[in-house]
Amino acid sequence: MRIVALAGGIGGARFLRGLKDVIAPDDEITVIGNTGDDIHLFGLKVCPDLDTVMYTLGGGIHEEQGWGRAEESFAVKEELAAYGVGPSWFGLGDKDFATHIVRTQMLGAGYPLSAVTEALCDRWQPGVRLLPMSDDRVETHVRITDEQGTRAVHFQEYWVKLHASVPAEAIVAVGAEGAKPAPGVLEAIAAADVILFPPSNPVVSIGTILAVPGIRAAVAAAPAPVVGLSPIIGGAPVRGMADKVLAAVGVAATAQDVALHYGADLLDGWLVDEADTAAVAAVEAGGIPCRAVPLLMSDPAATAAMARAALELAEQVRA
Ligand code: GDP
Ligand code: CA
């Protein structure tokens, strides 16, 4: 079985770990990763979501934090601060710096991001084929209004520095309209037996991937069933501030509104948490078969059960 998953960072990576636990030995997982969160810092290209997937599946992740390297130190960050060189709000550890140095060096030598990601994965052996959504530069920006007036800030500034403390007025994936899917992305979607949307952020993770011209249409046209899992439980994100970016696109932070936002043209199935059993009817009324199952990735067994439920729903809806 060929499984394709679109993924952001923490929510995507943790789900993928559960998925790896339940697939058969000869099943293949292709992950299409969000690169709209990418940022240039200290002259280095940082790809937070690709790295979260790579470190999580490769065994290098800081488990409690969910991003960055385990057993990390911050000597370089402290030295940069001593020079007065920022930003100080983005936590890059010493081990993590090496990843960004290797990536930036390879990009500078002319390799596309997809080839660089493959090279980094040679070390981490994540057990999936990890493809960036695009080799072209796409950067998510957020329009806000604060004491400095109305302005656009990089998504990382909105999320990490400002902690989404002011409303997001608009979300723009800068560069997306001119971007091309990375080599292999459209082919993987077309050849998939199952396509999954993990419980990743629907706007700035999966929404950004779908904004690359050709990807949304390929998912909608794919013969494979498309099944998603809600990142919203009981009217709130399980972790993070997804409600803020959902509000910017006019979508309420509920399990059913997220499903209807993706729509029946994309989704063939949707999983909500048992706390949202009341949402099942509304999702099905929108033409999307829906089941309520436990959706908290509290431990490996619970996460594996979620992946199994997603694959089962895919089988049930397969035409
Ligand atoms: P990011 O790029 O690191 O923000 O990660 P993703 O976009 O992949 O995932 C973020 C989303 O994961 C958030 O909206 C969370 O609500 C969701 N999430 C995190 N943990 C869980 C969980 O245990 N269960 C569910 N259903 N969603 C989760
Ligand atoms: Ca992200």
Side-chain angles (χ1 to χ4, degrees):
M1 191 163 63
R2 284 160 298 191
I3 304 170
V4 168
L6 276 48
I10 300 177
R14 288 195 171 154
F15 173 77
L16 288 164
R17 200 155 55 176
L19 182 64
K20 277 176 66 185
D21 283 345
V22 301
I23 62 169
D26 51 353
D27 290 346
E28 289 168 13
I29 302 173
T30 298
V31 178
I32 300 171
N34 173 41
T35 57
D37 291 15
D38 294 6
I39 185 166
H40 286 79
L41 295 168
F42 314 108
L44 301 175
K45 168 91 163 172
V46 180
C47 301
D49 285 358
L50 293 180
D51 288 349
T52 295
V53 171
M54 183 173 78
Y55 294 154
T56 301
L57 300 184
I61 200 75
H62 185 302
E63 284 294 338
E64 295 72 41
Q65 198 168 252
W67 54 269
R69 292 287 306 279
E71 287 151 40
E72 186 59 286
S73 56
F74 291 88
V76 175
K77 187 171 191 272
E78 283 156 22
E79 289 296 311
L80 287 164
Y83 284 111
V85 173
S88 58
W89 47 265
F90 201 89
L92 290 181
D94 299 333
K95 293 179 179 176
D96 201 21
F97 259 113
T99 304
H100 312 314
I101 291 169
V102 173
R103 174 185 291 122
T104 306
Q105 183 168 283
M106 285 190 71
L107 289 169
Y111 291 97
L113 182 62
S114 49
V116 175
T117 304
E118 193 180 338
L120 295 171
C121 285
D122 268 349
R123 171 184 174 194
W124 289 102
Q125 296 291 316
V128 301
R129 187 161 69 120
L130 177 59
L131 304 176
M133 65 189 197
S134 178
D135 280 335
D136 301 319
R137 184 167 169 176
V138 178
E139 260 182 31
T140 303
H141 286 241
V142 182
R143 196 181 77 210
I144 60 167
T145 301
D146 61 8
E147 61 282 354
Q148 293 180 51
T150 297
R151 61 205 173 98
V153 295
H154 190 287
F155 172 72
Q156 298 297 354
E157 184 171 348
Y158 181 69
W159 208 249
V160 180
K161 183 182 182 193
L162 301 174
H163 298 289
S165 55
V166 290
E169 298 166 353
I171 313 284
V172 182
V174 180
E177 62 287 351
K180 290 182 298 299
V185 166
L186 297 181
E187 294 81 353
I189 292 169
D193 298 303
V194 178
I195 299 173
L196 299 176
F197 292 1
S200 283
N201 190 305
V203 181
V204 294
S205 292
I206 295 190
T208 307
I209 299 170
L210 293 170
V212 176
I215 295 187
R216 173 184 291 272
V219 172
V226 181
V227 171
L229 299 92
S230 179
I232 305 292
I233 298 182
V238 176
R239 184 187 165 122
M241 296 87 57
D243 49 323
K244 295 295 178 63
V245 290
L246 281 165
V249 297
V251 177
T254 70
Q256 75 255 27
D257 284 294
V258 171
L260 299 173
H261 170 64
Y262 284 132
D265 55 332
L266 279 182
L267 288 178
D268 301 303
W270 184 245
L271 294 179
V272 301
D273 187 76
E274 285 177 324
D276 294 312
T277 303
V280 170
V283 175
E284 296 210 318
I288 304 165
C290 183
R291 306 282 182 273
V293 297
L295 285 191
L296 269 183
M297 298 189 279
S298 39
D299 58 48
T303 311
M306 284 167 57
R308 207 175 288 115
L311 294 175
E312 276 166 17
L313 182 54
E315 285 317 308
Q316 287 167 22
V317 301
R318 193 183 293 283

